[in-house]
Amino acid sequence: MGALALLLLLALALAPRWLRAKAKVHGFPPGFPGRAGEGRVEVEVQAPLPVLLQVEVGGSAALGLAPRKALALAWGRAKLGLSLPYRYRRRGAHPLPALQLRARGVLGLGERRLALPLGEALVYPALRPLPPLLPAPAFFLEGRRAPWGLQDPLEAVGLRPYRPGDPLRLLARKASLRLGRPVVREVERRLEGGLFLHVDTQSLHPSYLDHAASLAFGLLLEAERRGERYGLSASEVLPLGRGKAHLRRALELLARLAPSPAASLPPPAPWGSTYVLLTQVAGEAFLKAALKGARRAREGLLVLLPEGYFLFPGEKGRPVHGKPPGLERALRYRALLLAHGVQLLVVRGHEPFRGK
């Protein structure tokens, strides 16, 4: 009997070591700052012998998540649930606090601690009211003609004889019957248009990426509302497109923006697009890449935030003195940028954003 009791005590002391556990979380969908809800984490455990469990999830200021804790007795297969109320506060891809699982034998003998990852919650940039940007009325086609681009069958400038390879949709049927030979409408070509936006991730101020992401989101949303195509360069390149899925992909890229030690150089603009660049540092390499990338653009706008932030409507700031190096560099390049079709817009930290 003594040996049996000793074996039982040993088994109870080793019970936490035989514990197997996995966690699954749900209820944390991507959303904007201010979104509130209740997530839930479910823990599935396998305990061949009874163990006392303490389940704990820490807090997160960015997600408005308070620490939560639960106690339970588990034996065999068991499931534990823990509710996690949240209120998103800051843009970013924020990791959820790991679930800390502490298992102890029922007699207080033996202990084991496990940390189970719970994934991440994606918070989109805040959409805050801003005046329209300067190039907004001329984002897209606006009737501008060009020797290359897309054919516009609605803009016929005359008729000409049919040539092999001409699209049949351009065939002028009534005129062909009247003249007794096939003729086609001579159409104009228009610039393809669209908005292509690049966000430089080199940051000298903690607010820069949040302000740049909010500004970028406002521009992309305006393009989506117009039903026009738009693209984004933010750590990776999202080509021109439109639609809800395209907008969600752009929002995800903006949410995941993280500061980089070096400038992220803008890629070349798509043909005929409006080229918008956001930066704080405006380094030499960045400005030269902007000049090169604007060659195929219809028009360009470089938005410089020298202090890394600006005032939203209703905010008050303190005066800013002096010229940061990035501002001095950009001002030296102003004439050259304008010669390449890129306008410079400077918004300092003590100024509200001005679109015009």
Side-chain angles (χ1 to χ4, degrees):
M1 290 294 293
L4 184 59
L6 185 60
L7 287 175
L8 180 59
L9 286 175
L10 181 61
L12 292 175
L14 294 176
R17 296 194 177 189
W18 299 330
L19 179 74
R20 297 292 180 267
K22 58 182 179 180
K24 187 180 298 184
V25 69
H26 53 84
F28 287 89
F32 295 95
R35 175 170 184 160
E38 185 172 299
R40 188 169 181 82
V41 59
E42 294 182 351
V43 186
E44 183 177 342
V45 299
Q46 297 180 28
L49 291 173
V51 291
L52 295 172
L53 296 179
Q54 176 180 296
V55 180
E56 184 175 2
V57 177
S60 170
L63 300 175
L65 193 64
R68 306 284 283 186
K69 184 186 296 186
L71 301 174
L73 174 65
W75 191 0
R77 287 182 176 270
K79 288 186 178 181
L80 307 175
L82 192 63
S83 64
L84 302 173
Y86 63 85
R87 185 179 183 85
Y88 294 160
R89 293 179 178 173
R90 290 191 56 192
R91 178 201 64 88
H94 303 290
L96 293 168
L99 182 140
Q100 304 294 330
L101 182 64
R102 180 183 178 186
R104 302 186 66 182
V106 292
L107 299 180
L109 300 175
E111 181 176 306
R112 185 183 180 193
R113 295 175 183 265
L114 296 174
L116 305 178
L118 298 180
E120 66 178 13
L122 203 63
V123 183
Y124 296 145
L127 178 60
R128 305 180 69 176
L130 288 172
L133 275 182
L134 186 64
F139 259 161
F140 309 108
L141 303 181
E142 297 294 335
R144 180 172 176 177
R145 301 166 183 171
W148 44 267
L150 297 179
Q151 291 182 342
D152 187 349
L154 299 179
E155 293 294 334
V157 295
L159 300 173
R160 61 169 175 80
Y162 172 83
R163 293 194 293 264
D166 285 337
L168 294 180
R169 63 187 177 89
L170 298 181
L171 187 66
R173 301 182 185 277
K174 292 183 179 180
S176 299
L177 292 174
R178 185 175 66 252
L179 297 175
R181 65 179 187 277
V183 293
V184 296
R185 296 187 297 274
E186 183 74 39
V187 298
E188 292 181 344
R189 292 179 179 269
R190 295 177 179 269
L191 291 174
E192 184 176 354
L195 168 68
F196 189 78
L197 191 149
H198 172 77
V199 181
D200 182 12
T201 55
Q202 187 177 14
S203 173
L204 304 179
H205 190 280
S207 296
Y208 163 68
L209 287 181
D210 290 337
H211 280 67
S214 293
L215 179 56
F217 176 42
L219 283 170
L220 299 183
L221 186 60
E222 183 174 352
E224 176 64 32
R225 286 171 176 169
R226 290 171 177 239
E228 303 291 351
R229 302 197 310 158
Y230 52 91
L232 175 66
S233 170
S235 300
E236 62 180 271
V237 176
L238 180 67
L240 294 178
R242 66 168 70 93
K244 291 183 178 180
H246 190 72
L247 183 61
R248 281 196 298 269
R249 181 60 182 145
L251 280 172
E252 181 180 349
L253 291 181
L254 292 175
R256 295 186 181 278
L257 275 181
S260 60
S264 52
L265 303 183
W271 285 106
S273 64
T274 296
Y275 196 40
V276 179
L277 311 171
L278 306 180
T279 182
Q280 178 188 3
V281 182
E284 294 282 350
F286 181 89
L287 293 171
K288 291 178 180 178
L291 294 172
K292 183 178 180 181
R295 292 175 181 173
R296 301 188 301 184
R298 175 186 175 186
E299 60 179 333
L301 178 69
L302 192 153
V303 181
L304 176 63
L305 310 177
E307 281 76 36
Y309 65 97
F310 54 87
L311 301 183
F312 285 97
E315 292 182 339
K316 294 183 179 180
R318 295 177 297 179
V320 175
H321 304 286
K323 290 183 180 179
L327 177 56
E328 293 183 345
R329 260 192 310 271
L331 292 177
R332 289 200 306 268
Y333 271 79
R334 185 195 287 270
L336 188 57
L337 288 167
L338 195 57
H340 284 72
V342 179
Q343 182 178 349
L344 176 64
L345 176 61
V346 179
V347 186
R348 303 206 65 181
H350 67 294
E351 300 172 339
F353 184 87
R354 56 186 190 279
K356 295 183 180 180

